[in-house]
């Protein structure tokens, strides 16, 4: 009688254990990969380890917010907008603004520049940079002169449209310096022939 009861108890225990194992395995199949339980104990970190301490007299660097840049370009490439945490840069292709090898503004140019002036008003900017650029065709000296003349032409329309004595302008011509595309192709040179208007973003 006693022997029979012991056998029954052992059999019951084995069945229960098998059921538990089966249930656990089925549950694990439903969990995302990498969430399985680990039998390994977490690594202990010794807070007194000298390699984890800052040397005497040293300080941590100030926290810094990284500048995030967003660039949006029209499919035609005629206009390019670059936003960062601190500034806005609007670039217009020279062909949109001027005739070939010219610093005289065309009819469409003024409406485009007026749009930039509205953005400057929206940002309440008091400092505006107007920089001209060319491709690498022709002489470097000619590119420097032409890019400055084009920057001056855009500046003149901006300042007349805004009519705000509180705005300070910086106008420069950089010629073939600072290309944004490959000068070995016409498509690249077209992007490099541009005038950029840059101003600070409104904080907050």
């Amino acid at each position: 009688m006693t022997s029979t009861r012991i056998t029954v108890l052992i059999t019951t225990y084995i069945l229960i254990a098998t059921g538990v194992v089966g249930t656990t395995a089925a549950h694990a199949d439903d969990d995302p990969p990498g969430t399985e339980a680990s039998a390994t104990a977490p690594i202990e970190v010794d807070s007194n380890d000298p390699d984890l301490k800052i040397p005497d007299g040293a300080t941590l660097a100030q926290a810094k917010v990284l500048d995030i840049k967003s660039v949006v370009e029209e499919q035609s490439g005629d206009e390019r907008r670059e936003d960062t945490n601190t500034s806005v840069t609007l670039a217009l292709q020279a062909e949109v603004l001027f005739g070939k090898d010219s610093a005289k503004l065309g009819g469409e140019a003024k409406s485009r520049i007026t749009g930039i002036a509205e953005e400057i008003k929206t940002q309440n900017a008091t400092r505006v940079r107007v920089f001209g650029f060319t491709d690498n065709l022709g002489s470097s000296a000619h590119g420097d002169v032409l890019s400055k003349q084009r920057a001056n032409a855009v500046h003149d329309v901006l300042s007349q449209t805004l009519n705000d004595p509180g705005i300070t302008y910086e106008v420069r011509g950089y010629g073939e310096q600072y290309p944004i595309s490959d000068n070995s192709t016409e498509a690249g040179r077209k992007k490099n022939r541009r005038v950029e208007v840059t101003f600070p973003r409104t904080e907050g």
Side-chain angles (χ1 to χ4, degrees):
M1 186 72 174
T2 304
S3 175
T4 304
R5 190 169 65 180
I6 292 173
T7 302
V8 172
L9 288 173
I10 291 172
T11 303
T12 304
Y13 178 78
I14 291 171
L15 289 172
I16 292 171
T18 304
V20 171
V21 172
T23 303
T24 304
H27 180 69
D29 289 342
D30 296 334
D31 291 338
T35 60
E36 299 85 358
S38 172
T40 306
I43 298 172
E44 291 187 8
V45 177
D46 181 4
S47 60
N48 295 316
D49 188 329
D51 291 335
L52 299 178
K53 292 186 175 181
I54 299 176
D56 290 340
T59 58
L60 291 173
Q62 290 286 336
K64 182 179 180 181
V65 177
L66 296 178
D67 205 13
I68 299 172
K69 181 185 291 186
S70 167
V71 178
V72 178
E73 187 174 279
E74 286 186 1
Q75 190 171 4
S76 63
D78 290 349
E79 191 167 335
R80 181 174 183 269
R81 180 188 178 107
E82 182 179 298
D83 288 274
T84 70
N85 297 346
T86 57
S87 66
V88 177
T89 298
L90 298 171
L92 295 176
Q93 275 189 359
E95 279 81 347
V96 176
L97 303 173
F98 309 98
K100 185 176 180 181
D101 202 32
S102 169
K104 184 178 179 181
L105 290 168
E108 186 183 349
K110 293 186 178 180
S111 64
R112 294 266 187 162
I113 297 170
T114 300
I116 294 176
E118 290 300 320
E119 179 75 13
I120 293 171
K121 284 182 183 178
T122 300
Q123 298 293 344
N124 295 316
T126 56
R127 291 179 294 109
V128 177
R129 296 184 301 178
V130 185
F131 294 163
F133 305 87
T134 63
D135 58 27
N136 65 348
L137 297 181
S139 72
S140 176
H142 176 69
D144 291 344
V145 172
L146 181 61
S147 62
K148 179 64 185 303
Q149 289 174 338
R150 287 176 167 177
N152 283 335
V154 172
H155 160 259
D156 290 346
V157 176
L158 274 178
S159 60
Q160 290 168 15
T161 303
L162 291 167
N163 192 27
D164 186 346
I167 298 177
T168 302
Y169 294 91
E170 180 183 355
V171 185
R172 294 185 183 182
Y174 283 103
E176 64 187 56
Q177 298 182 69
Y178 311 112
I180 58 173
S181 193
D182 186 358
N183 267 316
S184 66
T185 68
E186 176 53 28
R189 290 191 293 270
K190 186 177 179 182
K191 289 185 177 183
N192 292 333
R193 299 190 292 265
R194 68 198 191 278
V195 175
E196 293 184 355
V197 180
T198 304
F199 45 90
R201 292 182 64 85
T202 303
E203 295 184 3

